C-alpha cells in the first residue's frame, strides 16, 4: 500500500487491452499488471534537460493528464524532487532514441521513466506516454519500450496557397497533432498567399498570411520540436502573380494573362521566363522576404512543373539554350543565392528526374525532394537519384486533393511503398504532401488518415501491417472503440462517381468566349488528343463518356454513401470526443458527394450518355440541394480556414445549380449557366 501519493499496482490482467500507438515502437514489451497514477503527482526533469525543453514537455504531460483524468500535476527539476514521472537524457542512447519504462520500482521512485539520447529522443518518449495516457487514463500498463525512427527527418508539407489559407488557430492545432505523431518538420507551401511587399496585386483578396503570424508560428513550432521550413514557388506555378499588370511581362506567355480564371490552367501554366532580365531579382526577392521569418537554414525553392519553360518568350528572344540548361542554370543561380546566405536549398525533383542532364549538373550541397504520388509507385526514380549521389528526400501524398473525401487506400499504398524504397536507397528523409489544387475543396481534417500512415511508415517502414495501423488509428485519432469509423470513411471515399475534379473539368471546358478550352480538354482522362474543331458540347460529352462506367453506378454508390454516414454517426456516438470533432466535416463531405454524383448522372442523361428522360422537377430540387449544401460547407470551411478563395468554389456550385434550373438538351449549355436554344448565335444574348 502506498499512501504518500506513490503508485499502486493494479492486478487485473483481464482488463488489459491492446495499446494504440502511432507510430508503433520498434520494441515494446508488455509486463503483467497495471499501475495507478497518484492523484497529486509530479513530473521531474533531470538537470541535463534544457530548461525550456523540460517546461514544454512537462506542460504537455500535465495537460494530457488533466484532460484524461481531471488531475492537476506539478513539475520540477533536479534530484532533490520526487515525481511519478521522470524525464532525463542518457548519452548511451543514439540520436532520437528513447527508453520508456512503466514499472513499480518501490516507494518514492518514479513509476514512469523516460530517457532520451538527445532532446528529440526525449520528446518522442513523451509523445508515446501521452498517447498511452489518452487511452488508459490514470491506469497505465506495465511495459518497457526502446524506440528510434528509421528516417531522421519526417516532414509534413501543407499547401496554404491554392484556394485555402488556414486560420492561425488551426495551424497551431495541426502542429500539435504533428508533434504528437513525431513529425519534426513542417513546410508551408506558398505561391501568392503571403503578404509580400510590393505584391499586393497578387495577394489581394486571398486572405494572405502576414509576416508576424509566420514568426509567431515559427516560435510555436520550435517549442514543439518542429522545424518550420519555408516552401515557395520561385519560377514555376506563378499563375496568380503572372496574371497581374505588374508582373505579367515576366511570364513565358504574358499574352495569356487576361484569359478567364481557371483552376486547371493554374496547375498547368504560368512559368517565369528565366531569360527575362528581372526574373532572378523577382525570385530572389521572394526568398529574401520569406527566409528571415523562420529560424531554419533550410529553404524549399520549389522548381516543379515548369511546363512552359523554353516554349514562349524565352525561346522568342533568340536564346539557343535547351530547356534543360535553362532550368539547371536558373536552379543553380537560386541555390547559389541561398548558399551565399548560409542557407540550404531544397527543391522539387520532378524536372531534374525527367532530364538526366539536369541531374548531372545539380549542386551537391542541396536536397532533391523526389515526389512520386502513384499508389503503385515503383522504385526506379528513387534508385536513379541515388545512383547520382544526390541527397534526396522521398515525398508521398495524403491523396486528398480535388475530392471532398479522402483516397485512403491510395494514401496507404503510396506512402508505405515509397517509405520502404527511400530506406533501401539511402534517402535522408521522408515527406508527405497535402495539396489543394482546384480551390482546395478538401477539408484538412480529411488528411488525418494520410498523416497517421506517414507517421507510422516514416518511423518504421518495415512494420507495414495495415490492419493494425487502421485499428490503432481508429482508437487514437478518432477515439473509436467500435472499429467501424475508419472503414466507413474508407467506404465513403471509395464511392465517388462524379468528383470535384470532374465537375471542374466539365465547367472549364468552355473557354467563356463560346469556344473549347483546349488546355482543359487535354486533361480529360481516357480521351484522345482533343480535336481543335470540336465544340464544348462534344468535349463535355466525351468527358462523361469516359466516366460512363462509374456514372451507371450512382444508385449503388449512393447507398454506400448513406450507409457510410450512418456507420460514422453510430461510431462517433460511442466514441470519445475526437470522432465527434471531425464528424460534422465528414458528414458534410459525404452529403456533398451524394449531390455531386447525382449531378453527374443528370448531366449524363442530358448529353445522351445514360438512357432516360430529363426530369425538370428533380433537377430543380437538386439545384436547391446544392445551394443549401454549400452553405453548410462554407460554415465548416470557416471553422479551420480564412475566407480565401471560397467564392471561386461557390461560383462553380451555383453555376451548376443555374444549369439544372434552366433545362438543357437539345440546347447548348453556356459556361455561365445561360442556355442557348438550338439555332441561336451566342451574340444574340450579348
Amino acid at each position: 500500500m502506498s499512501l504518500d501519493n506513490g503508485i499502486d499496482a493494479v492486478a487485473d490482467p483481464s482488463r488489459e487491452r491492446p495499446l494504440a500507438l502511432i507510430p508503433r515502437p520498434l520494441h515494446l514489451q508488455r509486463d503483467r499488471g497495471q499501475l495507478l497514477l497518484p492523484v497529486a503527482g509530479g513530473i521531474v526533469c533531470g538537470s541535463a534537460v534544457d530548461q525550456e525543453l523540460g517546461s514544454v514537455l512537462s506542460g504537455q504531460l500535465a495537460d494530457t493528464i488533466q484532460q484524461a483524468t481531471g488531475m492537476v500535476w506539478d513539475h520540477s527539476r533536479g534530484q532533490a524532487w520526487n515525481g511519478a514521472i521522470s524525464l532525463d537524457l542518457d548519452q548511451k542512447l543514439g540520436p532520437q532514441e528513447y527508453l520508456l519504462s512503466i514499472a513499480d520500482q518501490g516507494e518514492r521512485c518514479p513509476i514512469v521513466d523516460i530517457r532520451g539520447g538527445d532532446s528529440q529522443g526525449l520528446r518522442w518518449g513523451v509523445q508515446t506516454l501521452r498517447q498511452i495516457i489518452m487511452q488508459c487514463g490514470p491506469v497505465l500498463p506495465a511495459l518497457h519500450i526502446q524506440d528510434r525512427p528509421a528516417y531522421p527527418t519526417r516532414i509534413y508539407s501543407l499547401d496554404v496557397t491554392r484556394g485555402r489559407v488556414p486560420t492561425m488557430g488551426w495551424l497551431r492545432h495541426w502542429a500539435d497533432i504533428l508533434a504528437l505523431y513525431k513529425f519534426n518538420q513542417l513546410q508551408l507551401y506558398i505561391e501568392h498567399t503571403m503578404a509580400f511587399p510590393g505584391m499586393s496585386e497578387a495577394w489581394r483578396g486571398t486572405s494572405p498570411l502576414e509576416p508576424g503570424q509566420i514568426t509567431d508560428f515559427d516560435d510555436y513550432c520550435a517549442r514543439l520540436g518542429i522545424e518550420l521550413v519555408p516552401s515557395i514557388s520561385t519560377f514555376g506555378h506563378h499563375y496568380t502573380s503572372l496574371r497581374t499588370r505588374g508582373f505579367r511581362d515576366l511570364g513565358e506567355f504574358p499574352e495569356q494573362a487576361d484569359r478567364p480564371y481557371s483552376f486547371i490552367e493554374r496547375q498547368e501554366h504560368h512559368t517565369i521566363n528565366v531569360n527575362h532580365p528581372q526574373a532572378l531579382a523577382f525570385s530572389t526577392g521572394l526568398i529574401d522576404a520569406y527566409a528571415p521569418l523562420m529560424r531554419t537554414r533550410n529553404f524549399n525553392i520549389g522548381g516543379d512543373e515548369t511546363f512552359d519553360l523554353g516554349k514562349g518568350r524565352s525561346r522568342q528572344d533568340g536564346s539557343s539554350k535547351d530547356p534543360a540548361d535553362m532550368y539547371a542554370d536558373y536552379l543553380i543561380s537560386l541555390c547559389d543565392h541561398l548558399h551565399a546566405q548560409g542557407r540550404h536549398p531544397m527543391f522539387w525533383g520532378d524536372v531534374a528526374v525527367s532530364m538526366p542532364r539536369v541531374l548531372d549538373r545539380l549542386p551537391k550541397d542541396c536536397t532533391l525532394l523526389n515526389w512520386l504520388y502513384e499508389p503503385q509507385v515503383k522504385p526506379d526514380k528513387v534508385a536513379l537519384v541515388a545512383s547520382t549521389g544526390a541527397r534526396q528526400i522521398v515525398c508521398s501524398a495524403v491523396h486528398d486533393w480535388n475530392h471532398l473525401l479522402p483516397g485512403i487506400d491510395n494514401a496507404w499504398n503510396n506512402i508505405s511503398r515509397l517509405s520502404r524504397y527511400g530506406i533501401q536507397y539511402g534517402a535522408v528523409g521522408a515527406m508527405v504532401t497535402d495539396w489543394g489544387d482546384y480551390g482546395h475543396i478538401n477539408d484538412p481534417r480529411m488528411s488525418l488518415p494520410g498523416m497517421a500512415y506517414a507517421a507510422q511508415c516514416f518511423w518504421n517502414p518495415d512494420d507495414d501491417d495495415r490492419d493494425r495501423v487502421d485499428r490503432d488509428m481508429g482508437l487514437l485519432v478518432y477515439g473509436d472503440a467500435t472499429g467501424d469509423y475508419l472503414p466507413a470513411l474508407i467506404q465513403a471515399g471509395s464511392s465517388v462517381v462524379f468528383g470535384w475534379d470532374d465537375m471542374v473539368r466539365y465547367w472549364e471546358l468552355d473557354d467563356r468566349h463560346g469556344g473549347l478550352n483546349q488546355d482543359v480538354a487535354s486533361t480529360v482522362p481516357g480521351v484522345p488528343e482533343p480535336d481543335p474543331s470540336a465544340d464544348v458540347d462534344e468535349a463535355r460529352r466525351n468527358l462523361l463518356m469516359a466516366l460512363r462506367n462509374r456514372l451507371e453506378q450512382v444508385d449503388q454508390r449512393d447507398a454506400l454513401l448513406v450507409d457510410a454516414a450512418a456507420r460514422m454517426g453510430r461510431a462517433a456516438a460511442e466514441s470519445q470526443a475526437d470522432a465527434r470533432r471531425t464528424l460534422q466535416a465528414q458528414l458534410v463531405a459525404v452529403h456533398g458527394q451524394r449531390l455531386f454524383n447525382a449531378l453527374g448522372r443528370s448531366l449524363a442523361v442530358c448529353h445522351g450518355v445514360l438512357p432516360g428522360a430529363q426530369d425538370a422537377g428533380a433537377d430543380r430540387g437538386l439545384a436547391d440541394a446544392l445551394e443549401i449544401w454549400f452553405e453548410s460547407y462554407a460554415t465548416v470551411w470557416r471553422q479551420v480556414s480564412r475566407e480565401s478563395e471560397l467564392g471561386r468554389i461557390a461560383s462553380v456550385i451555383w453555376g451548376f445549380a443555374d444549369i439544372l434550373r434552366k433545362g438543357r438538351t437539345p440546347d447548348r449549355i453556356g459556361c455561365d449557366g445561360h442556355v442557348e436554344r438550338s439555332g441561336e448565335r451566342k451574340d444574340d444574348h450579348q
Side-chain angles (χ1 to χ4, degrees):
M1 177 180 292
S2 175
L3 299 178
D4 62 348
N5 273 333
I7 304 298
D8 289 300
V10 181
D12 190 357
S14 66
R15 290 185 174 272
E16 294 180 2
R17 61 181 182 180
L19 279 177
L21 298 175
I22 298 175
R24 191 75 175 174
L26 283 177
H27 306 287
L28 186 156
Q29 176 184 320
R30 290 286 294 266
D31 298 324
R32 289 182 60 82
Q34 298 169 307
L35 298 116
L36 181 64
L37 289 177
V39 172
I43 303 158
V44 179
C45 289
S47 56
V49 179
D50 175 82
Q51 188 162 350
E52 182 178 3
L53 173 64
S55 176
V56 170
L57 298 183
S58 296
Q60 287 181 327
L61 280 171
D63 288 346
T64 300
I65 290 168
Q66 185 169 11
Q67 291 167 11
T69 70
M71 300 188 303
V72 178
W73 278 33
D74 196 7
H75 61 91
S76 56
R77 290 174 58 84
Q79 295 180 351
W81 301 96
N82 295 319
I85 299 175
S86 171
L87 309 179
D88 212 341
L89 300 179
D90 187 339
Q91 295 182 347
K92 294 192 282 270
L93 299 175
Q96 299 198 49
E97 187 175 12
Y98 71 90
L99 296 174
L100 189 160
S101 176
I102 302 176
D104 186 356
Q105 303 179 72
E107 292 191 15
R108 306 189 66 79
C109 290
I111 191 61
V112 182
D113 186 49
I114 303 177
R115 307 264 165 176
D118 54 15
S119 60
Q120 288 196 73
L122 189 59
R123 284 186 189 275
W124 313 144
V126 167
Q127 305 318 311
T128 299
L129 179 59
R130 290 179 64 209
Q131 293 183 20
I132 293 171
I133 294 170
M134 288 173 182
Q135 298 164 71
C136 302
V139 185
L140 305 185
L143 54 73
H144 180 81
I145 292 173
Q146 184 166 3
D147 200 13
R148 67 182 185 280
Y151 285 103
T153 303
R154 301 170 302 285
I155 310 170
Y156 198 94
S157 172
L158 182 63
D159 177 354
V160 294
T161 203
R162 291 175 179 168
R164 185 189 288 266
V165 180
T167 65
M168 295 312 299
W170 176 257
L171 276 178
R172 288 190 291 270
H173 174 68
W174 206 240
D176 290 338
I177 299 173
L178 290 172
L180 181 65
Y181 298 143
K182 305 184 177 77
F183 286 87
N184 57 4
Q185 189 179 120
L186 170 61
Q187 297 195 5
L188 297 181
Y189 174 75
I190 288 175
E191 292 169 5
H192 63 284
T193 52
M194 179 73 200
F196 288 116
M199 293 191 65
S200 58
E201 191 184 1
W203 51 253
R204 66 188 185 190
T206 66
S207 309
L209 295 165
E210 298 175 357
Q213 293 170 333
I214 296 295
T215 55
D216 290 347
F217 186 53
D218 183 55
D219 290 341
Y220 190 85
C221 288
R223 285 177 57 82
L224 297 174
I226 294 174
E227 178 187 11
L228 186 64
V229 171
S231 172
I232 62 171
S233 53
T234 50
F235 58 115
H237 283 303
H238 268 296
Y239 181 76
T240 301
S241 295
L242 295 183
R243 285 166 53 81
T244 64
R245 295 287 173 188
F247 298 106
R248 65 178 58 191
D249 287 343
L250 294 176
E252 284 277 15
F253 296 102
E255 64 274 11
Q256 296 184 5
D258 290 323
R259 292 174 67 173
Y261 191 95
S262 164
F263 287 130
I264 292 174
E265 288 182 35
R266 177 163 73 178
Q267 295 301 106
E268 301 292 329
H269 289 293
H270 293 80
T271 302
I272 284 177
N273 168 13
V274 297
N275 294 332
H276 192 287
Q278 299 301 316
L280 188 62
F282 173 82
S283 298
T284 56
L286 295 175
I287 292 171
D288 293 346
Y290 201 30
L293 303 181
M294 285 153 272
R295 64 197 71 197
T296 180
R297 308 311 293 173
N298 289 310
F299 197 106
N300 181 356
I301 58 176
D304 63 321
E305 297 185 328
T306 52
F307 297 120
D308 291 337
L309 189 64
K311 295 179 180 178
R313 291 294 175 91
S314 63
R315 181 61 61 205
Q316 297 167 14
D317 66 7
S319 172
S320 60
K321 277 187 181 181
D322 182 272
D325 290 324
M326 289 184 189
Y327 182 90
D329 288 346
Y330 203 74
L331 184 75
I332 290 169
S333 295
L334 294 174
C335 290
D336 288 346
H337 182 79
L338 284 163
H339 286 140
Q341 300 177 358
R343 301 185 187 278
H344 180 82
M346 299 171 147
F347 64 95
W348 301 113
D350 56 307
V351 178
V353 169
S354 68
M355 299 179 179
R357 288 174 55 193
V358 175
L359 268 180
D360 292 341
R361 293 189 56 193
L362 290 179
K364 298 303 179 185
D365 47 353
C366 61
T367 300
L368 183 147
L369 303 172
N370 198 359
W371 64 266
L372 302 163
Y373 299 155
E374 288 296 320
Q376 305 302 320
V377 61
K378 304 297 182 185
D380 52 319
K381 292 183 179 179
V382 183
L384 172 65
V385 174
S387 70
T388 69
R391 175 186 170 94
Q392 71 172 315
I393 288 173
V394 290
C395 306
S396 49
V398 297
H399 279 269
D400 284 359
W401 65 89
N402 297 341
H403 288 91
L404 284 172
L405 292 160
I408 298 175
D409 289 338
N410 287 342
W412 170 260
N413 288 326
N414 178 219
I415 295 166
S416 61
R417 289 168 182 264
L418 193 57
S419 299
R420 293 195 299 271
Y421 301 152
I423 293 296
Q424 181 181 352
Y425 291 102
V428 299
M431 172 192 289
V432 66
T433 58
D434 189 347
W435 298 107
D437 289 11
Y438 300 170
H440 212 141
I441 195 150
N442 42 303
D443 189 287
R445 286 164 285 202
M446 301 299 170
S447 301
L448 285 167
M451 175 197 285
Y453 286 156
Q456 173 58 43
C457 294
F458 295 174
W459 192 271
N460 183 7
D462 292 330
D463 187 357
D464 59 355
D465 181 351
R466 184 183 172 185
D467 289 340
R468 183 195 55 73
V469 177
D470 283 355
R471 184 209 71 199
D472 286 0
M473 190 195 311
L475 284 167
L476 190 59
V477 175
Y478 298 111
D480 172 33
T482 71
D484 202 33
Y485 196 94
L486 185 64
L489 183 58
I490 293 171
Q491 175 177 302
S494 302
S495 301
V496 175
V497 170
F498 195 60
W500 176 247
D501 54 341
D502 302 316
M503 292 171 62
V504 168
R505 284 191 182 94
Y506 184 98
W507 185 256
E508 293 189 353
L509 280 167
D510 193 310
D511 66 4
R512 304 188 207 181
H513 298 292
L516 176 64
N517 187 321
Q518 298 289 334
D519 290 312
V520 175
S522 68
T523 70
V524 176
V527 176
E529 194 71 22
D531 180 356
S533 65
D535 64 12
V536 177
D537 263 356
E538 181 181 351
R540 284 173 165 169
R541 187 175 189 279
N542 287 339
L543 168 63
L544 295 167
M545 283 297 295
L547 302 172
R548 180 174 178 174
N549 289 341
R550 286 179 7 206
L551 291 166
E552 290 174 336
Q553 303 175 43
V554 168
D555 288 337
Q556 300 94 309
R557 299 294 181 89
D558 189 66
L560 290 171
L561 286 165
V562 172
D563 177 66
R567 290 167 59 192
M568 284 191 286
R570 286 192 293 266
E574 299 180 33
S575 76
Q576 300 170 5
D578 306 69
R580 293 193 288 275
R581 279 194 293 266
T582 62
L583 181 63
Q584 181 191 17
Q586 286 162 347
L587 291 183
V588 166
V590 170
H591 184 60
Q593 190 56 59
R594 294 181 65 198
L595 298 176
F596 290 4
N597 288 352
L599 172 65
R601 177 167 59 184
S602 176
L603 295 172
V605 169
C606 111
H607 284 278
V609 172
L610 292 181
Q614 292 177 241
D615 184 335
D619 283 350
R620 287 193 295 271
L622 179 56
D624 290 348
L626 281 167
E627 290 162 341
I628 293 167
W629 169 82
F630 179 76
E631 294 306 310
S632 297
Y633 174 81
T635 297
V636 171
W637 171 292
R638 295 178 182 119
Q639 290 173 354
V640 296
S641 307
R642 308 177 191 203
E643 200 68 11
S644 316
E645 296 182 36
L646 179 61
R648 296 196 188 279
I649 295 175
S651 68
V652 176
I653 300 295
W654 296 339
F656 276 111
D658 291 344
I659 287 174
L660 288 166
R661 287 196 178 93
K662 290 182 177 180
R664 298 173 301 277
T665 303
D667 311 310
R668 181 183 178 279
I669 305 169
C671 67
D672 57 356
H674 166 69
V675 178
E676 298 170 24
R677 303 302 172 192
S678 300
E680 283 184 333
R681 298 195 318 273
K682 184 171 179 61
D683 57 10
D684 289 340
H685 292 276
Q686 292 179 337

